[in-house]
Each structure stands twice: as C-alpha cells, then as structure tokens.
Amino acid sequence: MRILKIGGSVLDKLEEFELRADLIVHGGSDYVDALCERLGIDVKKLTSPSGVEFRYTPKEVLEVYLMAVMKANKDIVAYLQSKGINAIGLSGLDFGVVKAKRKKIIKAVIKGKRVVIRDDYSGKIESINTDILIKLMNFGVPVIAPIAMSEAFEPLNVDGDKLAKEIALSLRADELTFLSDTAFLVNGGVVDKIKADELEEFLPFVRGGMKRKLLMARSALEGGIKKVIIQGLNGRTVIE
C-alpha cells in the first residue's frame, strides 16, 4: 500500500508527478497564503524551538484555512478525475476520520526568544479511523485535507506531513511518499539515498519543512514503513 502526501507548494504542478497511490493526503499552504492576502489577513509562520516551521492559526486564520484547504482538496479530486482516477475528497472531520486534541499552548522562537502562544487552533493527532478509510478505498482514492476533529467537535489545523505519516502507520502501508518542490539537498545536490540509521546525522543541518519530512520519515520507518520517498521536481530521495 502506498500513501502519498502532496505538498502545498506543488498543487499547481501535479502534471509533473505520477500520482499513483492508494490514499492521498495534501497540504494547501500556497492556497491559504493567497486567500489570506486577498482578505487582508496577516500570514504568520513561526518556528518551534526544535527548528520546525509551522503556521500560526488563530481563530480568524482558521476560518480562512478551512476554506482554502478544501478548495485545494476539490482541485486535486477534479484533477484525478480528469486522469480517469476515481477520487473521494474529504477532510478529517468527515466520518470522524481524524481526531486530535487541541494544543493548549504552543512554543515558538521569535526574535531569538522563546514565547508561549495560547490562541492557536492546531491539534495533536490522537486517532485515525482506519475502518472508514479501508471502506472508502473500495470506491476510489480518498483525498484527505489536513483538518481534524477536536474533542470539542471543532475543526483543527493539523500538519499534513504528520497526518500522512500517521495514516501510513495506521494502515500499515509499505511506502510513504512526500511530493515537494525539492528532494533533500546537501550542498546544492540531491541526496539520492539515505539509510535509516544515517538520518540522525542529517537532522542538525536542516530546518523548516524539510526537517519535518525527515522527522516523519524516521518515525515512519521506526513504525514499520519499509520505504519513505521525498519526491521533488529536481529528483528524489529514497530513505529505507
């Protein structure tokens, strides 16, 4: 079984990739940023103390996030249908597919100082309804937006890379692939292969979205996934 995560940065470049998968998770960062700009809402990306970048999602941004990400969801479904691939678009809210606990506090580093944020609507994934996903796969390819249901039945922003990894683990997938604008680079060159036991050596030298992907790769491999691929427009990095 192959789980595919489509990054927000390549949603307008789907023709460049082979979208072969049993289930697809996607992001929508560019869609969210564009809609925020049109509505005059500030976009804030913060960095965690561990060096991973994330979207600050207060209530007003959450509302835009929901609209933009579901627009991305339907665009992907329409594209797949145009290629003769039956697809079913949904978010983690539908059928209670993804449940998460809202993070009461989030820590970030701003101008060199650690700060605590309390008004963010992002969540920590707690459960995946695999029974529903398996049933849906009998009808087509589920395309899942990174929105989860909170314990208070509120929508929450959950990271797409983490969601793809959690779904891959819950379904005991063989392969997890991240589609991105770039494969993993070192000194400007694509690293074609990384052994699982070498991942720790690279983590101190990467930040942002790529660091998150390597962390998700490590977690996926430890959980039994056989292979993780970071597929970019410039090549691919295979981790196994």
Side-chain angles (χ1 to χ4, degrees):
M1 181 182 294
R2 185 189 193 208
I3 307 302
L4 182 67
K5 190 310 182 125
I6 301 175
S9 63
V10 295
L11 284 172
D12 62 344
K13 302 178 180 69
L14 297 182
E15 289 279 2
E16 303 291 329
F17 299 99
E18 179 187 1
L19 302 186
R20 180 178 58 83
D22 297 284
L23 182 146
I24 293 173
V25 177
H26 67 88
S29 55
D30 287 3
Y31 278 52
V32 178
D33 292 349
L35 186 53
C36 281
E37 184 178 351
R38 285 171 57 190
L39 297 174
I41 297 173
D42 288 339
V43 174
K44 290 185 180 179
K45 305 285 181 66
L46 302 177
T47 302
S48 71
S50 64
V52 175
E53 187 180 77
F54 63 93
R55 181 182 298 279
Y56 171 46
T57 319
K59 191 73 171 180
E60 63 272 19
V61 174
L62 177 67
E63 294 175 354
V64 177
Y65 176 86
L66 296 175
M67 291 186 285
V69 169
M70 291 314 298
K71 171 66 165 57
N73 183 271
K74 299 313 175 188
D75 284 353
I76 295 170
V77 170
Y79 176 81
L80 292 172
Q81 294 291 156
S82 77
K83 299 299 179 182
I85 302 171
N86 239 0
I88 308 162
L90 66 157
S91 76
L93 296 173
D94 300 293
F95 303 105
V97 165
V98 184
K99 293 184 178 178
K101 184 175 183 179
R102 184 182 170 193
K103 299 175 184 178
K104 293 182 179 179
I105 63 169
I106 290 179
K107 295 179 181 179
V109 178
I110 301 176
K111 295 181 179 180
K113 295 183 178 180
R114 293 196 178 198
V115 299
V116 173
I117 298 167
R118 301 180 187 276
D119 63 344
D120 191 83
Y121 280 81
S122 61
K124 181 180 180 181
I125 298 168
E126 293 201 313
S127 67
I128 306 292
N129 190 330
T130 53
D131 290 340
I132 288 293
L133 293 178
I134 291 169
K135 288 176 181 177
L136 289 173
M137 283 190 284
N138 290 324
F139 299 98
V141 178
V143 179
I144 304 178
I147 303 165
M149 178 80 76
S150 78
E151 62 270 36
F153 301 98
E154 298 174 304
L156 296 175
N157 166 20
V158 290
D159 178 73
D161 290 344
K162 289 183 180 179
L163 178 56
K165 184 263 296 186
E166 291 296 334
I167 289 176
L169 289 175
S170 69
L171 291 173
R172 298 181 181 179
D174 301 298
E175 183 179 305
L176 171 61
T177 298
F178 296 101
L179 300 189
S180 183
D181 52 353
T182 180
F184 180 56
L185 301 173
V186 171
N187 296 325
V190 172
V191 179
D192 296 319
K193 293 184 179 181
I194 301 176
K195 294 181 180 179
D197 58 7
E198 296 174 340
L199 270 175
E200 293 293 334
E201 300 174 19
F202 292 102
L203 287 173
F205 305 103
V206 290
R207 302 185 70 80
M210 187 55 69
K211 183 166 188 177
R212 183 186 297 109
K213 286 176 176 58
L214 292 185
L215 289 170
M216 293 307 102
R218 181 180 66 181
S219 179
L221 293 170
E222 289 174 349
I225 306 299
K226 295 177 182 177
K227 181 188 298 184
V228 178
I229 298 169
I230 302 173
Q231 177 69 58
L233 296 167
N234 56 348
R236 61 163 45 189
T237 300
V238 177
I239 308 167
E240 58 186 342

